[in-house]
Amino acid sequence: MNRLHHLAAVTHGLQRALAGLFVATSLVTLGTTLLEFGSASWTIAAAPIGFVLGGIYGVAYYLRYEYEVTDTTFDVASGVFSRRSREIPYRRIQNVDVRISVLHRLLGLAVVSIETAGGGQTEARLNFVSEAEADRLQREIRRRTARATGSRSEAGTDHDDARETDLQGDASATATERTGTETPASADETVAGTDSVSSESNARNHSVGTQSASRTRHDDRTRSLFELEARELLLYSFTSFRPALGAALLFFVFIAIDPVINHLLTVSQPIGGPADLETASIGNYGVLTLVSFAYGVIITYLVSVAYTFGAYYGFTLSRAGRDFVYERGLLQRYSGSIPSEKIQSVTVTDNPLQRLIDYAGMWIETAGYGPESGTGSQSAVPLAQRDRVYEFTERLTGSETPQFHSPPALARRRYVARYSIIAGVFVAAIFAVTLVTPLEQWYLAAIVFVAVPPAAHLRYVNIQYYVGEDHLVIRRGFWRRRTTVIPYYRVQTISTRRSIFQRRLGLASVIVDTASSSSFSLAPPTIYDLELEDARDVHKTSRNRLQRSLRERARDDDLGLTVDFT
Amino acid sequence: MESLHSRIRLLWIAQGAIVVAVLGAALVGVDRVISAIDVPVAAIAGVIGLAGVLAVAYAVRLYQRWQFELQDDALYLERGVITVVETAVPFVRVQHVDTQFGPIERALGLSSVVVYTAGTRNADVRVPGLTPDRARRLQDTLRELAIESDTDDAV
């Protein structure tokens, strides 16, 4: 069993000691103020006791936290009072992430997270180990995962020759290239030779051959697939906007509320803002609100440019065997590996700005939880020219170029109606405001209705779908348009939804659920507002092709993904 | 297509009644606590009565709509009053199957089967309003079909 890095004893000890200190002093405060028990002077004694007890707990936690890379599972044993020992089978691992913060980088440390599809959080988080150990773990787990998935199809059959090639390949890196090129040929011969014996064992034999071949050929060596160039990084930084960062900024505003308000007042005063908060007219406040809002948007944009630049600086995607390995980050380094057989779907994203300059990004979705935004979505190509990205996507998934279909024009009418209702509610709200304030021209708010037809049209034109031979391609969204390629093989459930309004127009939406853990804010891939007949057709076709792809995969164990997609 | 047991309507009406009761209590609470707002008794009675009628109508309509079927490759369900949803859960995607019943269901002698998939949105699909015997049989069938069609790990 291995322990975490010995510095972890210090940080865990300190963290828990501070927590103990906090708990002890709060308990004394609680006792004296609420229960009128004890006196404030007890803090002097309680604080050090809490600190020491917390520190002891932290160190004990370190001493009792052990992990081990075994042949079949990754084991973690943890807990001081209640013990937990967890075994994660390699072939269930979705991805392995390594995160190195600025401080960790100075000390040569890293946090390793191992994700599986189950549970709502990271299954194993090693906080923290040395960088070298993180590297070793990532490599070891990758190697063993490849072996586990390889030997799975071997189980119960007698292909010792194939297995031997395997082991040789693993053991000696020098012989890899040669055995690698030979194995598929010999496997093909075996298939041809025993063609009539048993189709099932053939399939297994074949799969072992190809798998060990691809593994031996690339074992432990990485091949670069994509590197984000300086130009692409800058374009990506300047064309992405992360509203979530705005919420984080609000927090800082609360901390430094006075200087912020003073600054906003000085800026807005020349253009009609109030001189101070107490004496001002409604119009002054209106100007102040607008100025604050503009400020918020601009600062959020600048922060998100800086954040994106820092997070995606030096982005590289490469492959090691059948795994994708990515690395990125200027100050805080992230790296992770994703087994290609765990990929659920591939999504191309672009926002209006990126569409304007003909760029797009590509994300791969797994069922685990990634470091960013808590979803299993990982950026494979942050930003590149659109044609290239679509080419990558087609090559990666093996899908044909989509011939997109659109929902009927009737759908657009729905969006006109929907956005008109929203605009109506807005005008009503403004009207309510004029009732309680001296403002009068509420009808000026009706200008928002001008935005309704273009908004409805933009929503409509960005909804497209393509029912391919092996893939379903679904496109939706305007601000952050997403084009998701779902192999039928990854479909979990298919639903057809018809709301009361849709039924009136004879429309339906098809929801194709996969195991990629999208967050609550992102709906699963949905084709909106098809004609009912088409919706039923998509529903049925997807079901049939899922069954077909299952049969095909059982036959030749085809991954359905091309690892070298760039 | 198979319908649910007719007693499920009582369950849904009971659930509706709970909602209506909460609504009524909230109205009475507003009337009592906020002295500025005086809710007339007739209004409270009217709202409760209307909500009660709606709840019953909803339960009846939901029962008429709810259907399920074990098809060749998937469990197929049709349900919903305001939004009609047709869902297909391929057997090969079934992770595990539960039978469950709550206190009201137990009193009515009903049981539910919950089918879990690895998906996100419809990760658990519930078939309510089954007799305990039917629920048990459905669970067994689904389990067998899931094992039978298992070709590879789903995720």
Side-chain angles (χ1 to χ4, degrees), chain A residues 69 96 98 131-146 219-222 320 323 325 337:
Chain A
V69 180
V96 181
V98 179
E131 255 182 83
E133 173 70 358
D135 261 8
R136 185 189 74 92
L137 282 174
Q138 221 175 1
R139 224 176 31 242
E140 284 283 305
I141 291 170
R142 193 157 62 223
R143 207 160 60 88
R144 281 159 211 270
T145 309
D219 204 29
D220 273 6
R221 279 181 307 158
T222 52
D323 290 16
V325 183
S337 66

Side-chain angles (χ1 to χ4, degrees), chain A residues 357-420:
Chain A
I357 54 170
D358 279 344
Y359 273 71
M362 186 177 97
W363 296 72
I364 46 187
E365 277 121 25
T366 66
Y369 289 79
E372 193 157 0
S373 67
T375 68
S377 209
Q378 283 297 342
S379 183
V381 175
L383 195 75
Q385 267 160 352
R386 186 169 53 200
D387 297 343
R388 252 179 105 199
V389 168
Y390 278 104
E391 200 183 310
F392 291 165
T393 311
E394 279 163 31
R395 242 185 274 163
L396 171 62
T397 58
S399 72
E400 56 272 54
T401 308
Q403 314 274 309
F404 283 113
H405 296 284
S406 288
L410 203 57
R412 190 164 33 193
R413 232 179 70 192
R414 273 201 75 199
Y415 308 139
V416 172
R418 184 186 300 173
Y419 294 144
S420 301

Side-chain angles (χ1 to χ4, degrees), chain A residues 146-256:
Chain A
R147 191 184 295 166
T149 39
S151 61
R152 175 168 44 114
S153 32
E154 240 175 277
T157 53
D158 49 349
H159 302 297
D160 286 340
D161 52 343
R163 196 181 311 203
E164 256 168 44
T165 341
D166 255 8
L167 295 174
Q168 271 172 26
D170 282 345
S172 63
T174 48
T176 48
E177 209 61 57
R178 212 169 50 83
T179 49
T181 46
E182 272 177 19
T183 326
S186 66
D188 283 344
E189 271 168 30
T190 333
V191 172
T194 55
D195 207 28
S196 54
V197 184
S198 145
S199 62
E200 196 193 348
S201 94
N202 273 347
R204 284 181 171 158
N205 191 352
H206 185 70
S207 74
V208 173
T210 45
Q211 282 192 347
S212 65
S214 65
R215 190 163 358 120
T216 46
R217 215 179 298 147
H218 298 281
D219 204 29
D220 273 6
R221 279 181 307 158
T222 52
R223 239 203 79 196
S224 175
L225 293 175
F226 179 81
E227 278 173 32
L228 194 68
E229 288 163 18
R231 177 189 153 79
E232 290 163 337
L233 174 66
L234 285 175
L235 282 176
Y236 186 49
S237 304
F238 282 102
T239 56
S240 35
F241 187 75
R242 297 166 190 271
L245 286 174
L249 281 178
L250 274 184
F251 178 74
F252 286 104
V253 171
F254 278 121
I255 290 178

Side-chain angles (χ1 to χ4, degrees), chain A residues 387-462:
Chain A
D387 297 343
R388 252 179 105 199
V389 168
Y390 278 104
E391 200 183 310
F392 291 165
T393 311
E394 279 163 31
R395 242 185 274 163
L396 171 62
T397 58
S399 72
E400 56 272 54
T401 308
Q403 314 274 309
F404 283 113
H405 296 284
S406 288
L410 203 57
R412 190 164 33 193
R413 232 179 70 192
R414 273 201 75 199
Y415 308 139
V416 172
R418 184 186 300 173
Y419 294 144
S420 301
I421 291 170
I422 295 174
V425 169
F426 177 77
V427 172
I430 294 292
F431 178 67
V433 168
T434 56
L435 286 185
V436 293
T437 62
L439 289 175
E440 272 175 6
Q441 290 91 352
W442 60 270
Y443 41 83
L444 288 181
I447 194 132
V448 292
F449 278 100
V450 173
V452 167
H457 179 71
L458 287 174
R459 178 175 164 83
Y460 171 75
V461 291
N462 282 304

Side-chain angles (χ1 to χ4, degrees), chain A residues 92 94 152 342 344 367 489 491-500 503 513-517 524 536 543 546-547 550, chain B residues 65 71 73-74 76 81-90 92-93 117-123 151-155:
Chain A
R92 293 299 185 203
Q94 298 282 339
R152 175 168 44 114
K342 296 296 185 193
Q344 303 287 328
Y489 178 70
V491 171
Q492 290 283 337
T493 62
I494 308 159
S495 302
T496 308
R497 284 172 62 96
R498 286 180 293 148
S499 73
I500 194 159
R503 268 176 297 175
D513 197 17
T514 65
S516 51
S517 43
R536 291 247 159 87
R543 267 175 74 179
L546 165 64
Q547 295 301 324
L550 287 171
Chain B
R65 272 279 164 71
Q71 296 180 343
D73 57 332
Y76 181 77
V81 174
I82 293 170
T83 301
V84 179
V85 185
E86 300 160 15
T87 303
V89 186
V92 66
R93 291 300 182 231
T117 70
T120 46
R121 173 81 168 253
N122 308 307
T151 50
D152 205 335
D153 59 328
V155 191

